[in-house]
Amino acid sequence: MCISRHGEYIGGDRLMKKSSVPFIRFCLLVGIFALSTPVFSQIITMPLPVPWPVFRNGQADLRIAAAYHSLEQEMPQPPQYDTRLRGGGLELSGRYAFNDLVGIDFGCMAAGQKGEQGPDNEFTKAVVSIPADLEFQVFSNEVFNLILFGGFNATPYYSRMDRLGYTYESYIILYGPQAGAQASLRLGDVMLAPYFTFHRLSGKRRYENETSSGNDSGSERVLARSFYYFGLNVIYVPAGVTFGASYQHVPEEDKRLEYHGIILSLGYTLRFDPGEDVNRTQ
């Protein structure tokens, strides 16, 4: 098994780190790297671009939320280089409805995570996720609503890894299409809104490494990766308050290398409708 020269896996590409250290030490480091888990894929993108599960002609919505993130990855065999990241961020999403059928939305999420991989490796991560979509309200009545959406996501991302005296820094920009669906069911003052979101992102990376054998820097292409989100929002309509929970999954050819994330959020939505107050009615 080969490894990247920055200490991280990127999709299916494997590049071995060049080193001037003695052969025995080199082989030992290669063994450690090969048994470690990938950290490049362990990022959070913005899972929910729909700020409110219902819209109508001329309406504008603005949602502000705080979120907690948890990402975990476990290796099924020793040595155990389990990865655990914790963090949080802020989310902002808005939408304008051209009519009762079509709307456009935008969003921005800024988040940071910190964690470890095994006993010796520390990670610091920061990410900004910026989605934009066209929304299509394909069904709507007083009880049930269904929105389909699709668009684009751009995600600048920074990662720092400290491993056995080595430091690896990556500056990454990911971009690509996204799509999804959100339904909603009105139960009195409460609305249940399950959703699904898919991202397919690729991009470029610039890296800077500091090791005992010297410094290394460069840039390379990042192969496309798929991100899947499954979530549920519980909305208290009179107050415009939303509690959300979502599950993030990033598949890998090697099932051992898959990781899973949980996002918990608490948000508030402002709704603006020309000539009529709908802030707490729909």
Side-chain angles (χ1 to χ4, degrees):
M1 181 182 295
C2 295
I3 55 165
S4 79
R5 55 185 174 181
H6 337 96
E8 296 182 350
Y9 293 119
I10 309 178
D13 289 350
R14 306 290 192 269
L15 296 175
M16 185 168 288
K17 175 183 179 295
K18 296 180 180 180
S19 178
S20 59
V21 299
F23 178 74
I24 294 178
R25 184 181 178 189
F26 173 76
C27 291
L28 177 61
L29 289 174
V30 170
I32 292 174
F33 291 169
L35 289 169
S36 65
T37 55
V39 298
F40 162 71
S41 61
Q42 294 162 345
I43 66 174
I44 287 286
T45 56
M46 189 170 182
L48 181 61
V50 178
W52 191 265
V54 182
F55 65 81
R56 58 190 184 188
N57 183 30
Q59 183 179 312
D61 302 296
L62 180 64
R63 179 176 181 264
I64 303 171
Y68 166 78
H69 304 152
S70 172
L71 292 90
E72 294 192 1
Q73 184 179 50
E74 296 184 0
M75 290 294 286
Q77 59 189 18
Q80 293 295 324
Y81 283 92
D82 297 347
T83 301
R84 290 178 174 82
L85 300 174
R86 301 289 186 270
L90 296 176
E91 302 176 5
L92 177 69
S93 58
R95 176 183 58 208
Y96 177 76
F98 299 114
N99 51 50
D100 290 343
L101 302 177
V102 181
I104 186 170
D105 65 51
F106 65 93
C108 180
M109 181 198 73
Q113 296 112 32
K114 194 173 182 64
E116 59 184 18
Q117 181 189 58
D120 302 314
N121 310 316
E122 296 182 355
F123 298 107
T124 302
K125 299 175 180 292
V127 60
V128 176
S129 186
I130 306 171
D133 298 274
L134 282 177
E135 298 183 18
F136 303 93
Q137 190 165 238
V138 297
F139 185 86
S140 180
N141 61 27
E142 294 181 355
V143 177
F144 181 79
N145 195 79
L146 177 62
I147 294 176
L148 305 179
F149 56 87
F152 185 80
N153 184 289
T155 301
Y157 164 55
Y158 166 79
S159 173
R160 176 187 172 93
M161 176 172 60
D162 296 300
R163 171 184 288 180
L164 300 176
Y166 288 64
T167 299
Y168 304 91
E169 290 184 294
S170 294
Y171 305 85
I172 301 169
I173 176 67
L174 301 177
Y175 43 83
Q178 67 177 27
Q182 176 169 298
S184 65
L185 179 65
R186 181 72 180 263
L187 302 172
D189 288 339
V190 176
M191 192 181 299
L192 303 180
Y195 63 88
F196 165 76
T197 304
F198 166 79
H199 307 271
R200 181 70 175 175
L201 305 180
S202 61
K204 297 180 180 180
R205 167 163 65 174
R206 180 172 60 88
Y207 60 87
E208 297 178 1
N209 304 331
E210 296 182 4
T211 71
S212 60
S213 59
N215 298 336
D216 183 27
S217 63
S219 61
E220 62 188 5
R221 184 170 61 94
V222 175
L223 298 182
R225 305 294 303 278
S226 297
F227 299 79
Y228 298 88
Y229 289 89
F230 306 87
L232 174 67
N233 277 353
V234 179
I235 305 166
Y236 183 61
V237 178
V241 174
T242 300
F243 173 76
S246 64
Y247 168 77
Q248 179 186 19
H249 175 64
V250 179
E252 290 276 0
E253 291 183 5
D254 185 344
K255 298 298 182 181
R256 301 181 312 160
L257 305 182
E258 293 183 351
Y259 82 98
H260 310 278
I262 299 294
I263 304 174
L264 302 178
S265 65
L266 181 65
Y268 175 75
T269 301
L270 293 170
R271 312 193 68 209
F272 308 94
D273 192 7
E276 185 176 355
D277 182 9
V278 299
N279 283 349
R280 304 293 174 257
T281 61
Q282 282 193 343

